[in-house]
Amino acid sequence: YTLFNVIIMLNALIAIMGDTYDRVKDMSSRARNYEKCSLILEYEQGVTVSELRGSERSAFRPWIFVISASGLKGQRQENDWEGKIKKITKLIKSYRSENVELVNSMKDKLGSQIKRENKNLESQLSGMRTDLTQLSSAVSKITEKLDNIQKLQQEQQTQTLIQKQEENKSDKV
């Protein structure tokens, strides 16, 4: 159990460090531009107008630096760094919503199929019940006929026995 926790914690640490590395790598271009702007501002504040107009004018070439924001403050662009964990979470949520829709549609389809099958089974069952009642009535008729046949056989046997006894009596007399 403890080893399992250590492995989980190491995996979490690796994921966090990977996230941090990706974020720093993505922010490096912004940091570089920020530092350039800071140097330009510091340079402009340190150079006086007289130095610009002086004899060392050739050293200060007329450059125009334009700095513009790529996005408004507080708004994130779509290509901003989100981090691996956030991306994975978004993917899971999107897959979850897709799966919920898929499961609901399959549930509806299966529900309608089950209802159709239930109707088919109920109709088959009612047919089987009518067949069973017909069979049971036929069986009861057959048993009645068999009972009648047995009675007739018994009567015939008793009549033949009576006839034999009478013949035996007549032979004795």
Side-chain angles (χ1 to χ4, degrees), residues 113-138:
Q113 286 179 350
I114 288 172
K115 287 178 183 178
R116 274 186 274 142
E117 289 298 320
N118 279 341
K119 287 179 182 179
N120 289 339
L121 289 174
E122 286 175 2
S123 66
Q124 289 176 0
L125 185 62
S126 66
M128 288 179 181
R129 283 180 182 155
T130 56
D131 291 345
L132 186 61
T133 54
Q134 290 173 355
L135 283 174
S136 65
S137 66

Side-chain angles (χ1 to χ4, degrees), residues 13-135:
L13 178 65
I14 290 168
I16 290 170
M17 292 302 291
D19 250 7
T20 304
Y21 175 78
D22 287 344
R23 188 173 357 111
V24 167
K25 188 175 179 181
D26 188 53
M27 296 295 286
S28 65
S29 64
R30 289 183 185 176
R32 182 176 45 250
N33 290 339
Y34 178 79
E35 288 300 321
K36 282 181 184 179
C37 292
S38 299
L39 284 173
I40 291 170
L41 182 64
E42 184 179 326
Y43 177 73
E44 286 180 354
Q45 289 174 350
V47 176
T48 62
V49 177
S50 62
E51 288 177 341
L52 286 174
R53 291 184 184 163
S55 63
E56 300 174 12
R57 189 168 196 190
S58 62
F60 301 104
R61 296 192 177 138
W63 295 99
I64 298 176
F65 296 100
V66 177
I67 301 171
S68 65
S70 60
L72 298 175
K73 285 187 177 181
Q75 291 182 345
R76 294 185 62 152
Q77 295 178 350
E78 289 184 24
N79 61 356
D80 275 352
W81 181 87
E82 291 183 35
K84 290 178 184 176
I85 295 174
K86 287 184 181 181
K87 286 181 183 178
I88 291 170
T89 305
K90 278 185 177 181
L91 277 174
I92 289 172
K93 286 180 181 179
S94 69
Y95 289 149
R96 185 183 308 157
S97 64
E98 290 173 9
N99 287 338
V100 166
E101 292 172 5
L102 181 64
V103 166
N104 286 337
S105 67
M106 290 177 76
K107 180 180 165 184
D108 294 339
K109 288 178 184 177
L110 288 175
S112 63
Q113 286 179 350
I114 288 172
K115 287 178 183 178
R116 274 186 274 142
E117 289 298 320
N118 279 341
K119 287 179 182 179
N120 289 339
L121 289 174
E122 286 175 2
S123 66
Q124 289 176 0
L125 185 62
S126 66
M128 288 179 181
R129 283 180 182 155
T130 56
D131 291 345
L132 186 61
T133 54
Q134 290 173 355
L135 283 174

